[in-house]
Amino acid sequence: MRESGIRFVTVLGALGVPLVALAGGGSVDRTVAATPNGEVEISNVSGTVDVRGWDKPEVRVTGELGADVERVDVDSSGGRTIIKVILPHGSHNDSDADLTIQVPKMSSVEVGAVSADVSSRGVLGTQRLKTVSGEISADIAGDDSEVRSVSGDLTVRGSGKPLTLRASSVSGSLDLTNAAGSLDVVTVSGDARVTMGDAKDVRARTTSGDLEVHAKMTPDGRVDAEAVSGDLTLQLASPGALSLEIESFSGDITGCLAGSVERVSKYGPGVRLNVRNVEAGPRVRAKTLSGDIEICNK
Amino acid sequence: MNRRIKRIDELAQDIPPPRDLWQGISAAIEADKAAAAAPAQKQSGRRSFWMPAAGLAASVLLVALGVYIGQIIGNKRGPLDRGVAQTVPAPRNENTPELRHAKYTNQREELLREVNAKLATMPPADRAKVAASLETLSKSIKDIEAALGHDPANALLQELLVSSSQEEMRALIAVRDSGREEI
Protein backbone atom coordinates (compact mmCIF):
# COMPACT_ATOMS: atom_id res chain seq x y z
CA MET A 1 0.00 0.00 0.00
CA ARG A 2 2.70 2.41 1.01
CA GLU A 3 4.89 1.35 -1.92
CA SER A 4 2.17 2.07 -4.44
CA GLY A 5 1.63 5.48 -2.84
CA ILE A 6 5.30 6.33 -3.26
CA ARG A 7 5.23 5.15 -6.87
CA PHE A 8 2.21 7.35 -7.50
CA VAL A 9 3.82 10.51 -6.17
CA THR A 10 7.09 9.64 -7.87
CA VAL A 11 5.35 9.48 -11.24
CA LEU A 12 3.54 12.73 -10.62
CA GLY A 13 6.76 14.40 -9.51
CA ALA A 14 8.62 13.14 -12.56
CA LEU A 15 5.91 14.55 -14.81
CA GLY A 16 6.15 17.89 -13.07
CA VAL A 17 2.54 17.77 -12.05
CA PRO A 18 1.82 20.02 -9.05
CA LEU A 19 0.33 18.24 -6.14
CA VAL A 20 -2.32 20.27 -4.44
CA ALA A 21 -3.69 20.08 -0.96
CA LEU A 22 -7.18 21.46 -1.25
CA ALA A 23 -8.11 23.54 1.66
CA GLY A 24 -10.52 25.70 3.46
CA GLY A 25 -8.62 24.42 6.46
CA GLY A 26 -7.76 20.89 7.40
CA SER A 27 -4.46 19.17 7.02
CA VAL A 28 -1.91 18.47 4.36
CA ASP A 29 0.25 15.38 3.83
CA ARG A 30 2.01 15.15 0.49
CA THR A 31 5.20 13.46 -0.64
CA VAL A 32 7.08 13.99 -3.89
CA ALA A 33 10.25 12.49 -5.28
CA ALA A 34 13.23 14.83 -5.08
CA THR A 35 16.86 14.96 -6.07
CA PRO A 36 19.16 14.22 -3.11
CA ASN A 37 21.04 17.49 -3.59
CA GLY A 38 18.29 19.47 -5.27
CA GLU A 39 16.68 22.76 -4.36
CA VAL A 40 13.64 23.22 -2.17
CA GLU A 41 11.79 26.53 -2.15
CA ILE A 42 9.15 27.18 0.47
CA SER A 43 6.90 30.18 0.89
CA ASN A 44 4.35 30.69 3.62
CA VAL A 45 2.81 33.93 4.84
CA SER A 46 1.89 33.06 8.41
CA GLY A 47 2.04 30.14 10.79
CA THR A 48 5.20 28.06 10.98
CA VAL A 49 7.68 26.40 8.69
CA ASP A 50 9.68 23.56 10.21
CA VAL A 51 12.29 22.14 7.83
CA ARG A 52 14.03 18.88 8.63
CA GLY A 53 16.72 17.07 6.70
CA TRP A 54 16.33 13.33 6.21
CA ASP A 55 17.98 10.53 4.26
CA LYS A 56 15.18 9.84 1.77
CA PRO A 57 15.17 11.23 -1.80
CA GLU A 58 11.74 12.69 -1.17
CA VAL A 59 10.16 15.88 0.07
CA ARG A 60 7.27 15.38 2.43
CA VAL A 61 4.94 18.20 3.44
CA THR A 62 2.67 17.75 6.43
CA GLY A 63 0.76 20.21 8.55
CA GLU A 64 -2.39 21.99 9.53
CA LEU A 65 -4.02 24.73 7.49
CA GLY A 66 -6.10 27.64 8.66
CA ALA A 67 -9.63 28.07 7.36
CA ASP A 68 -8.60 30.88 4.99
CA VAL A 69 -5.79 28.95 3.34
CA GLU A 70 -6.84 28.18 -0.23
CA ARG A 71 -4.36 25.40 -0.89
CA VAL A 72 -0.74 24.28 -0.69
CA ASP A 73 1.00 23.71 -4.01
CA VAL A 74 3.78 21.15 -4.06
CA ASP A 75 5.61 21.03 -7.37
CA SER A 76 8.73 19.02 -8.09
CA SER A 77 10.60 19.05 -11.37
CA GLY A 78 14.10 19.44 -12.71
CA GLY A 79 15.73 19.01 -9.33
CA ARG A 80 13.65 21.75 -7.78
CA THR A 81 10.74 21.36 -5.39
CA ILE A 82 8.47 24.34 -4.79
CA ILE A 83 6.08 24.44 -1.86
CA LYS A 84 3.77 27.41 -1.76
CA VAL A 85 0.92 28.22 0.55
CA ILE A 86 -1.78 29.92 -1.52
CA LEU A 87 -4.15 32.41 0.05
CA PRO A 88 -7.19 33.88 -1.69
CA HIS A 89 -7.13 37.58 -2.47
CA GLY A 90 -8.55 39.84 0.20
CA SER A 91 -8.33 39.90 3.95
CA HIS A 92 -7.70 36.78 5.95
CA ASN A 93 -8.49 35.98 9.53
CA ASP A 94 -7.11 32.47 9.71
CA SER A 95 -4.35 32.16 7.15
CA ASP A 96 -1.89 30.23 9.29
CA ALA A 97 -0.29 27.19 7.76
CA ASP A 98 1.78 25.17 10.19
CA LEU A 99 4.01 23.05 7.99
CA THR A 100 6.65 20.44 8.64
CA ILE A 101 8.72 19.82 5.56
CA GLN A 102 11.17 16.94 5.35
CA VAL A 103 13.78 17.32 2.65
CA PRO A 104 16.82 15.32 1.49
CA LYS A 105 19.53 16.46 3.88
CA MET A 106 21.89 17.61 1.13
CA SER A 107 19.23 19.90 -0.35
CA SER A 108 19.61 23.62 -0.75
CA VAL A 109 16.69 25.23 1.02
CA GLU A 110 15.15 28.64 0.51
CA VAL A 111 12.34 29.80 2.78
CA GLY A 112 10.40 33.03 2.40
CA ALA A 113 7.91 33.98 5.08
CA VAL A 114 6.07 37.05 6.27
CA SER A 115 5.00 36.52 9.85
CA ALA A 116 5.61 32.79 9.92
CA ASP A 117 8.25 31.46 12.29
CA VAL A 118 10.90 29.38 10.56
CA SER A 119 12.97 26.56 12.01
CA SER A 120 15.43 24.25 10.34
CA ARG A 121 17.35 21.19 11.48
CA GLY A 122 19.48 18.58 9.81
CA VAL A 123 19.90 20.30 6.44
CA LEU A 124 23.47 20.20 5.15
CA GLY A 125 23.08 22.25 1.97
CA THR A 126 22.97 26.00 1.51
CA GLN A 127 20.08 27.69 3.27
CA ARG A 128 18.47 31.06 2.56
CA LEU A 129 15.93 31.79 5.25
CA LYS A 130 13.99 35.05 5.20
CA THR A 131 11.12 36.40 7.24
CA VAL A 132 9.58 39.79 7.84
CA SER A 133 8.37 39.54 11.42
CA GLY A 134 8.71 35.85 12.15
CA GLU A 135 11.49 34.36 14.21
CA ILE A 136 14.11 32.09 12.72
CA SER A 137 15.79 29.24 14.56
CA ALA A 138 18.15 27.27 12.37
CA ASP A 139 21.02 24.83 12.26
CA ILE A 140 23.23 25.98 9.42
CA ALA A 141 25.86 23.68 7.90
CA GLY A 142 25.87 24.66 4.23
CA ASP A 143 28.30 27.15 2.78
CA ASP A 144 27.07 30.49 1.42
CA SER A 145 24.00 30.50 3.65
CA GLU A 146 21.94 33.50 4.63
CA VAL A 147 19.48 34.20 7.44
CA ARG A 148 17.63 37.48 7.62
CA SER A 149 14.59 39.13 9.07
CA VAL A 150 13.14 42.59 9.41
CA SER A 151 11.78 42.49 12.94
CA GLY A 152 12.10 38.87 13.95
CA ASP A 153 14.77 37.46 16.22
CA LEU A 154 17.36 35.09 14.80
CA THR A 155 18.83 32.06 16.56
CA VAL A 156 21.43 30.35 14.43
CA ARG A 157 23.61 27.38 15.25
CA GLY A 158 26.57 26.54 13.07
CA SER A 159 28.07 23.10 12.66
CA GLY A 160 31.51 24.11 13.90
CA LYS A 161 32.88 23.67 10.38
CA PRO A 162 34.04 26.68 8.38
CA LEU A 163 31.43 28.22 6.12
CA THR A 164 30.31 31.56 4.78
CA LEU A 165 27.24 32.90 6.51
CA ARG A 166 25.36 36.18 6.38
CA ALA A 167 22.87 37.05 9.11
CA SER A 168 20.98 40.30 9.38
CA SER A 169 18.01 41.78 11.14
CA VAL A 170 16.74 45.33 11.26
CA SER A 171 15.12 45.34 14.67
CA GLY A 172 15.43 41.76 15.78
CA SER A 173 18.23 40.30 17.86
CA LEU A 174 20.73 37.71 16.77
CA ASP A 175 22.23 34.79 18.65
CA LEU A 176 24.77 32.82 16.66
CA THR A 177 26.65 29.90 18.18
CA ASN A 178 29.15 27.26 17.05
CA ALA A 179 30.00 29.11 13.85
CA ALA A 180 33.32 29.09 12.02
CA GLY A 181 34.77 30.59 8.88
CA SER A 182 33.49 33.80 7.33
CA LEU A 183 30.65 35.68 8.89
CA ASP A 184 28.78 38.87 8.05
CA VAL A 185 26.45 40.01 10.82
CA VAL A 186 24.31 43.14 10.76
CA THR A 187 21.67 44.46 13.12
CA VAL A 188 20.30 47.95 13.46
CA SER A 189 18.76 48.11 16.92
CA GLY A 190 18.88 44.48 17.97
CA ASP A 191 21.63 43.01 20.10
CA ALA A 192 23.91 40.44 18.52
CA ARG A 193 25.94 37.73 20.21
CA VAL A 194 28.31 35.61 18.19
CA THR A 195 30.23 32.59 19.46
CA MET A 196 32.50 30.92 16.98
CA GLY A 197 35.48 28.63 16.63
CA ASP A 198 37.93 29.27 13.82
CA ALA A 199 37.18 32.83 12.80
CA LYS A 200 38.61 33.54 9.36
CA ASP A 201 36.80 36.69 8.38
CA VAL A 202 34.20 38.31 10.63
CA ARG A 203 32.38 41.49 9.77
CA ALA A 204 29.88 42.67 12.31
CA ARG A 205 27.93 45.90 12.45
CA THR A 206 25.24 47.33 14.63
CA THR A 207 23.82 50.79 14.95
CA SER A 208 22.42 50.95 18.46
CA GLY A 209 22.42 47.33 19.58
CA ASP A 210 25.18 45.81 21.65
CA LEU A 211 27.44 43.41 19.84
CA GLU A 212 29.46 40.58 21.38
CA VAL A 213 31.92 38.44 19.47
CA HIS A 214 33.57 35.48 21.19
CA ALA A 215 35.90 33.78 18.76
CA LYS A 216 39.07 31.82 18.26
CA MET A 217 40.86 33.50 15.42
CA THR A 218 42.77 31.65 12.72
CA PRO A 219 46.42 32.64 12.20
CA ASP A 220 45.38 35.03 9.42
CA GLY A 221 41.93 35.81 10.82
CA ARG A 222 40.22 39.18 10.51
CA VAL A 223 37.58 40.69 12.74
CA ASP A 224 36.01 43.97 11.69
CA ALA A 225 33.38 45.32 14.07
CA GLU A 226 31.54 48.61 13.97
CA ALA A 227 28.85 50.28 16.01
CA VAL A 228 27.43 53.77 16.24
CA SER A 229 25.99 54.02 19.73
CA GLY A 230 26.04 50.33 20.61
CA ASP A 231 28.78 48.76 22.71
CA LEU A 232 31.24 46.23 21.30
CA THR A 233 32.60 43.33 23.31
CA LEU A 234 35.35 41.38 21.59
CA GLN A 235 36.74 38.27 23.29
CA LEU A 236 39.24 36.97 20.79
CA ALA A 237 41.63 34.13 21.40
CA SER A 238 44.37 33.95 18.81
CA PRO A 239 47.36 31.73 17.98
CA GLY A 240 49.62 34.77 17.69
CA ALA A 241 49.76 38.34 18.81
CA LEU A 242 46.81 40.39 17.59
CA SER A 243 47.23 43.51 15.53
CA LEU A 244 44.68 46.03 16.69
CA GLU A 245 43.16 49.08 15.08
CA ILE A 246 40.51 50.25 17.50
CA GLU A 247 39.01 53.68 17.79
CA SER A 248 36.03 55.39 19.36
CA PHE A 249 34.96 58.98 18.86
CA SER A 250 33.45 59.47 22.29
CA GLY A 251 33.26 56.01 23.86
CA ASP A 252 35.80 54.19 26.00
CA ILE A 253 38.18 51.37 25.18
CA THR A 254 38.66 48.85 27.94
CA GLY A 255 39.69 45.24 28.46
CA CYS A 256 42.84 43.21 28.98
CA LEU A 257 44.36 44.42 25.70
CA ALA A 258 43.56 48.06 26.32
CA GLY A 259 46.82 48.86 28.04
CA SER A 260 48.10 51.32 25.48
CA VAL A 261 44.96 53.29 24.72
CA GLU A 262 45.75 56.84 23.74
CA ARG A 263 43.77 59.96 23.08
CA VAL A 264 43.35 60.76 19.41
CA SER A 265 43.87 64.44 20.00
CA LYS A 266 45.22 66.47 22.84
CA TYR A 267 42.31 68.88 22.59
CA GLY A 268 39.45 66.90 21.09
CA PRO A 269 37.55 63.72 21.91
CA GLY A 270 38.39 60.22 20.88
CA VAL A 271 40.50 57.31 21.99
CA ARG A 272 42.31 54.71 19.98
CA LEU A 273 44.36 51.59 20.38
CA ASN A 274 46.81 50.76 17.65
CA VAL A 275 48.97 47.69 18.03
CA ARG A 276 50.92 46.39 15.09
CA ASN A 277 52.31 42.90 15.16
CA VAL A 278 53.04 40.40 12.43
CA GLU A 279 51.74 41.77 9.13
CA ALA A 280 50.06 38.53 8.09
CA GLY A 281 48.86 37.68 11.58
CA PRO A 282 45.38 37.99 13.07
CA ARG A 283 43.92 41.48 12.94
CA VAL A 284 41.12 43.23 14.73
CA ARG A 285 39.51 46.45 13.64
CA ALA A 286 36.77 48.05 15.71
CA LYS A 287 35.13 51.47 15.48
CA THR A 288 32.35 53.25 17.31
CA LEU A 289 30.93 56.71 17.54
CA SER A 290 29.78 56.75 21.16
CA GLY A 291 29.67 53.09 22.06
CA ASP A 292 32.27 51.55 24.37
CA ILE A 293 34.66 48.90 23.15
CA GLU A 294 35.92 46.05 25.33
CA ILE A 295 38.73 43.99 23.85
CA CYS A 296 40.39 40.97 25.40
CA ASN A 297 42.17 37.82 24.26
CA LYS A 298 41.38 35.64 27.27
CA MET B 1 60.54 88.75 14.27
CA ASN B 2 57.46 87.66 12.30
CA ARG B 3 58.60 85.67 9.30
CA ARG B 4 56.53 85.84 6.15
CA ILE B 5 55.01 82.45 5.20
CA LYS B 6 55.52 81.68 1.51
CA ARG B 7 54.47 78.05 1.34
CA ILE B 8 51.74 76.06 3.06
CA ASP B 9 54.22 73.57 4.46
CA GLU B 10 55.89 76.36 6.35
CA LEU B 11 52.82 76.68 8.56
CA ALA B 12 53.18 75.33 12.05
CA GLN B 13 51.99 71.74 12.21
CA ASP B 14 50.80 71.75 15.79
CA ILE B 15 49.20 74.89 17.19
CA PRO B 16 47.24 74.14 20.34
CA PRO B 17 43.91 75.92 20.60
CA PRO B 18 43.58 78.30 23.53
CA ARG B 19 40.96 76.07 25.20
CA ASP B 20 39.58 72.54 25.19
CA LEU B 21 37.31 72.47 22.14
CA TRP B 22 35.48 69.28 23.06
CA GLN B 23 33.26 70.98 25.61
CA GLY B 24 31.85 73.18 22.88
CA ILE B 25 31.47 70.32 20.43
CA SER B 26 29.81 68.16 23.04
CA ALA B 27 27.40 70.95 23.93
CA ALA B 28 26.56 71.43 20.26
CA ILE B 29 25.84 67.72 19.81
CA GLU B 30 23.63 67.69 22.86
CA ALA B 31 21.84 70.81 21.59
CA ASP B 32 21.28 69.10 18.26
CA LYS B 33 19.89 66.03 20.00
CA ALA B 34 17.48 68.26 21.92
CA ALA B 35 16.47 70.01 18.73
CA ALA B 36 15.87 66.67 17.03
CA ALA B 37 13.48 65.75 19.80
CA ALA B 38 11.58 69.03 19.38
CA PRO B 39 8.70 69.55 16.88
CA ALA B 40 9.84 69.41 13.26
CA GLN B 41 9.09 73.03 12.43
CA LYS B 42 11.28 74.25 15.26
CA GLN B 43 14.29 72.27 14.16
CA SER B 44 14.11 73.07 10.47
CA GLY B 45 17.31 74.72 9.39
CA ARG B 46 18.84 74.53 12.81
CA ARG B 47 21.56 72.06 11.93
CA SER B 48 22.80 74.16 9.04
CA PHE B 49 22.84 77.18 11.35
CA TRP B 50 25.55 75.88 13.61
CA MET B 51 27.21 73.29 11.45
CA PRO B 52 30.10 74.79 9.52
CA ALA B 53 29.29 74.85 5.83
CA ALA B 54 32.54 73.20 4.79
CA GLY B 55 31.94 70.25 7.09
CA LEU B 56 28.40 69.80 5.87
CA ALA B 57 29.43 69.94 2.23
CA ALA B 58 32.21 67.44 2.83
CA SER B 59 29.78 65.12 4.59
CA VAL B 60 27.25 65.35 1.81
CA LEU B 61 29.73 64.56 -0.92
CA LEU B 62 31.25 61.81 1.16
CA VAL B 63 27.89 60.13 1.56
CA ALA B 64 27.25 60.48 -2.16
CA LEU B 65 30.45 58.69 -2.93
CA GLY B 66 29.89 56.07 -0.26
CA VAL B 67 26.38 55.29 -1.38
CA TYR B 68 27.51 55.15 -4.97
CA ILE B 69 30.15 52.62 -3.98
CA GLY B 70 27.54 50.74 -2.02
CA GLN B 71 25.36 50.51 -5.11
CA ILE B 72 28.19 49.07 -7.09
CA ILE B 73 28.80 46.53 -4.35
CA GLY B 74 25.08 45.79 -4.30
CA ASN B 75 25.02 45.17 -8.02
CA LYS B 76 27.60 42.44 -7.60
CA ARG B 77 25.56 40.61 -5.03
CA GLY B 78 22.95 39.30 -7.39
CA PRO B 79 19.21 38.91 -7.24
CA LEU B 80 18.88 38.92 -3.46
CA ASP B 81 19.55 42.66 -3.49
CA ARG B 82 17.00 44.40 -5.60
CA GLY B 83 15.75 47.91 -6.08
CA VAL B 84 18.29 50.63 -5.54
CA ALA B 85 21.10 48.13 -5.61
CA GLN B 86 20.16 47.41 -9.20
CA THR B 87 20.18 50.98 -10.42
CA VAL B 88 22.51 51.49 -13.32
CA PRO B 89 25.69 53.45 -12.55
CA ALA B 90 25.65 56.87 -14.11
CA PRO B 91 27.52 57.54 -17.34
CA ARG B 92 30.96 58.96 -16.75
CA ASN B 93 30.03 62.53 -17.64
CA GLU B 94 27.23 62.46 -15.05
CA ASN B 95 29.43 61.03 -12.36
CA THR B 96 30.22 64.15 -10.39
CA PRO B 97 29.85 64.01 -6.61
CA GLU B 98 27.05 66.58 -6.76
CA LEU B 99 25.05 64.52 -9.23
CA ARG B 100 25.69 61.38 -7.23
CA HIS B 101 24.40 63.13 -4.16
CA ALA B 102 21.33 64.34 -6.01
CA LYS B 103 20.66 60.79 -7.17
CA TYR B 104 21.21 59.46 -3.68
CA THR B 105 18.78 62.01 -2.27
CA ASN B 106 16.14 61.19 -4.86
CA GLN B 107 16.54 57.45 -4.38
CA ARG B 108 16.36 57.78 -0.63
CA GLU B 109 13.19 59.88 -0.80
CA GLU B 110 11.60 57.40 -3.17
CA LEU B 111 12.62 54.55 -0.90
CA LEU B 112 11.17 56.32 2.13
CA ARG B 113 7.84 56.70 0.35
CA GLU B 114 7.80 53.00 -0.50
CA VAL B 115 8.88 52.03 3.00
CA ASN B 116 6.13 54.13 4.55
CA ALA B 117 3.64 52.36 2.32
CA LYS B 118 5.07 49.01 3.40
CA LEU B 119 4.99 49.99 7.08
CA ALA B 120 1.30 50.85 6.73
CA THR B 121 0.60 47.23 5.79
CA MET B 122 2.40 45.79 8.80
CA PRO B 123 0.75 44.80 12.08
CA PRO B 124 0.98 47.71 14.56
CA ALA B 125 3.53 46.04 16.85
CA ASP B 126 5.89 45.17 13.97
CA ARG B 127 5.36 48.56 12.40
CA ALA B 128 6.38 50.33 15.61
CA LYS B 129 9.40 48.12 16.06
CA VAL B 130 10.70 48.56 12.52
CA ALA B 131 9.91 52.27 12.39
CA ALA B 132 11.86 52.75 15.63
CA SER B 133 14.86 50.97 14.13
CA LEU B 134 14.77 53.09 10.98
CA GLU B 135 14.50 56.18 13.14
CA THR B 136 17.53 54.97 15.09
CA LEU B 137 19.49 54.73 11.86
CA SER B 138 18.39 58.17 10.75
CA LYS B 139 19.26 59.68 14.11
CA SER B 140 22.67 58.01 14.17
CA ILE B 141 23.46 59.57 10.81
CA LYS B 142 22.44 62.99 12.11
CA ASP B 143 24.64 62.51 15.18
CA ILE B 144 27.62 61.62 13.01
CA GLU B 145 26.95 64.55 10.68
CA ALA B 146 26.77 66.86 13.67
CA ALA B 147 30.16 65.74 14.93
CA LEU B 148 31.59 65.77 11.42
CA GLY B 149 30.38 69.31 10.91
CA HIS B 150 32.88 70.39 13.53
CA ASP B 151 35.62 68.00 12.55
CA PRO B 152 35.29 67.42 8.79
CA ALA B 153 38.67 65.76 8.45
CA ASN B 154 38.00 63.10 11.07
CA ALA B 155 38.56 59.81 9.26
CA LEU B 156 36.61 57.78 11.84
CA LEU B 157 33.55 59.99 11.48
CA GLN B 158 33.81 59.89 7.70
CA GLU B 159 33.95 56.11 7.75
CA LEU B 160 31.02 55.83 10.16
CA LEU B 161 28.97 58.24 8.07
CA VAL B 162 29.51 56.30 4.88
CA SER B 163 28.81 52.92 6.44
CA SER B 164 25.76 54.22 8.34
CA SER B 165 24.34 55.78 5.18
CA GLN B 166 24.88 52.56 3.30
CA GLU B 167 23.33 50.61 6.13
CA GLU B 168 20.29 52.87 6.10
CA MET B 169 19.82 52.23 2.39
CA ARG B 170 20.19 48.48 2.89
CA ALA B 171 17.67 48.52 5.75
CA LEU B 172 15.18 50.59 3.75
CA ILE B 173 15.47 48.20 0.82
CA ALA B 174 15.10 45.21 3.14
CA VAL B 175 11.89 46.65 4.58
CA ARG B 176 10.55 47.69 1.18
CA ASP B 177 11.19 44.28 -0.34
CA SER B 178 10.13 42.27 2.69
CA GLY B 179 7.47 39.69 1.93
CA ARG B 180 7.27 40.59 -1.76
CA GLU B 181 7.96 37.10 -2.97
CA GLU B 182 5.70 35.46 -0.46
CA ILE B 183 2.46 37.39 -0.91
Side-chain angles (χ1 to χ4, degrees):
Chain A
M1 183 75 179
R2 176 163 171 70
E3 251 183 39
S4 66
I6 291 174
R7 266 202 299 274
F8 173 69
V9 299
T10 303
V11 168
L12 285 179
L15 293 174
V17 177
L19 297 173
V20 174
L22 295 176
S27 60
V28 57
D29 187 348
R30 293 288 182 272
T31 302
V32 295
T35 310
N37 58 352
E39 299 171 21
V40 180
E41 294 179 16
I42 304 157
S43 67
N44 183 16
V45 172
S46 62
T48 58
V49 175
D50 184 11
V51 182
R52 299 177 188 185
W54 67 356
D55 292 323
K56 297 181 183 178
E58 296 172 347
V59 172
R60 183 183 184 197
V61 182
T62 58
E64 300 297 320
L65 310 177
D68 291 336
V69 175
E70 188 172 299
R71 65 184 191 273
V72 178
D73 285 349
V74 182
D75 183 5
S76 184
S77 64
R80 173 178 294 188
T81 304
I82 298 174
I83 299 149
K84 190 174 178 72
V85 176
I86 306 294
L87 302 177
H89 290 291
S91 60
H92 316 111
N93 294 317
D94 186 9
S95 59
D96 283 5
D98 296 324
L99 302 178
T100 297
I101 299 161
Q102 289 159 290
V103 305
K105 64 184 179 185
M106 295 307 295
S107 302
S108 297
V109 174
E110 184 165 338
V111 178
V114 178
S115 61
D117 293 334
V118 176
S119 59
S120 173
R121 282 177 290 168
V123 176
L124 302 180
T126 298
Q127 296 189 66
R128 306 279 174 98
L129 311 177
K130 297 176 286 182
T131 73
V132 179
S133 58
E135 297 183 359
I136 298 178
S137 174
D139 293 348
I140 300 288
D143 194 26
D144 195 25
S145 290
E146 179 173 23
V147 180
R148 61 177 173 164
S149 79
V150 174
S151 62
D153 297 334
L154 310 178
T155 304
V156 181
R157 297 164 297 274
S159 64
K161 295 177 181 172
L163 52 81
T164 300
L165 172 63
R166 296 181 296 280
S168 63
S169 180
V170 176
S171 46
S173 64
L174 168 66
D175 186 13
L176 172 58
T177 54
N178 201 30
S182 298
L183 187 63
D184 191 339
V185 171
V186 178
T187 73
V188 174
S189 56
D191 294 337
R193 180 182 169 88
V194 175
T195 306
M196 62 190 301
D198 292 339
K200 170 82 174 166
D201 185 7
V202 178
R203 293 165 193 272
R205 189 184 196 282
T206 180
T207 299
S208 62
D210 293 335
L211 170 66
E212 286 185 38
V213 178
H214 303 259
K216 188 184 88 175
M217 296 183 71
T218 60
D220 60 346
R222 300 283 184 273
V223 171
D224 193 333
E226 184 180 302
V228 179
S229 57
D231 295 334
L232 301 178
T233 302
L234 306 174
Q235 295 276 354
L236 306 170
S238 80
L242 288 169
S243 291
L244 306 173
E245 185 186 336
I246 295 174
E247 186 173 351
S248 178
F249 182 71
S250 59
D252 292 329
I253 300 174
T254 60
C256 69
L257 293 177
S260 54
V261 172
E262 59 182 3
R263 291 189 66 176
V264 172
S265 165
K266 197 172 172 183
Y267 303 100
V271 285
R272 69 182 164 208
L273 173 62
N274 284 332
V275 178
R276 293 191 178 194
N277 281 305
V278 183
E279 189 65 26
R283 287 182 170 189
V284 181
R285 199 168 173 272
K287 313 270 176 177
T288 70
L289 178 75
S290 56
D292 295 333
I293 303 171
E294 182 182 346
I295 173 84
C296 197
N297 62 351
K298 294 174 184 171
Chain B
M1 182 109 179
N2 286 341
R3 189 167 63 88
R4 187 176 174 183
I5 300 295
K6 295 178 181 174
R7 298 196 320 269
I8 197 164
D9 60 1
E10 291 179 335
L11 291 167
Q13 299 295 305
D14 187 16
I15 302 174
R19 59 188 171 79
D20 186 345
L21 298 175
W22 173 239
Q23 290 182 357
I25 296 170
S26 177
I29 292 173
E30 292 305 317
D32 193 56
K33 286 179 182 172
Q41 59 187 41
K42 286 187 178 178
Q43 66 177 348
S44 62
R46 190 188 182 286
R47 182 151 36 112
S48 62
F49 174 74
W50 68 265
M51 180 184 284
L56 180 59
S59 305
V60 160
L61 297 180
L62 189 70
V63 170
L65 180 64
V67 171
Y68 184 72
I69 293 169
Q71 289 174 3
I72 293 171
I73 294 169
N75 279 335
K76 289 180 179 174
R77 285 195 170 178
L80 283 174
D81 295 278
R82 302 183 306 191
V84 168
Q86 288 185 329
T87 55
V88 178
R92 191 169 291 175
N93 62 345
E94 294 177 6
N95 226 1
T96 65
E98 291 79 7
L99 279 172
R100 272 181 235 144
H101 178 253
K103 284 186 174 184
Y104 160 66
T105 304
N106 289 338
Q107 287 172 342
R108 184 177 179 277
E109 286 175 359
E110 177 63 24
L111 257 178
L112 284 171
R113 276 192 291 274
E114 293 174 331
V115 165
N116 284 333
K118 171 66 74 173
L119 286 173
T121 68
M122 288 182 168
D126 290 331
R127 179 166 60 230
K129 202 173 168 185
V130 174
S133 291
L134 295 178
E135 178 59 28
T136 296
L137 264 172
S138 176
K139 183 180 171 302
S140 73
I141 291 170
K142 287 175 183 170
D143 287 346
I144 298 166
E145 284 179 343
L148 196 50
H150 288 276
D151 190 0
N154 189 306
L156 171 62
L157 295 176
Q158 291 174 358
E159 185 180 340
L160 288 172
L161 181 63
V162 169
S163 58
S164 294
S165 299
Q166 290 177 339
E167 194 48 51
E168 184 190 44
M169 295 295 272
R170 287 195 192 101
L172 289 172
I173 291 169
V175 175
R176 181 197 66 181
D177 291 349
S178 59
R180 268 190 184 179
E181 296 158 6
E182 292 74 35
I183 297 173

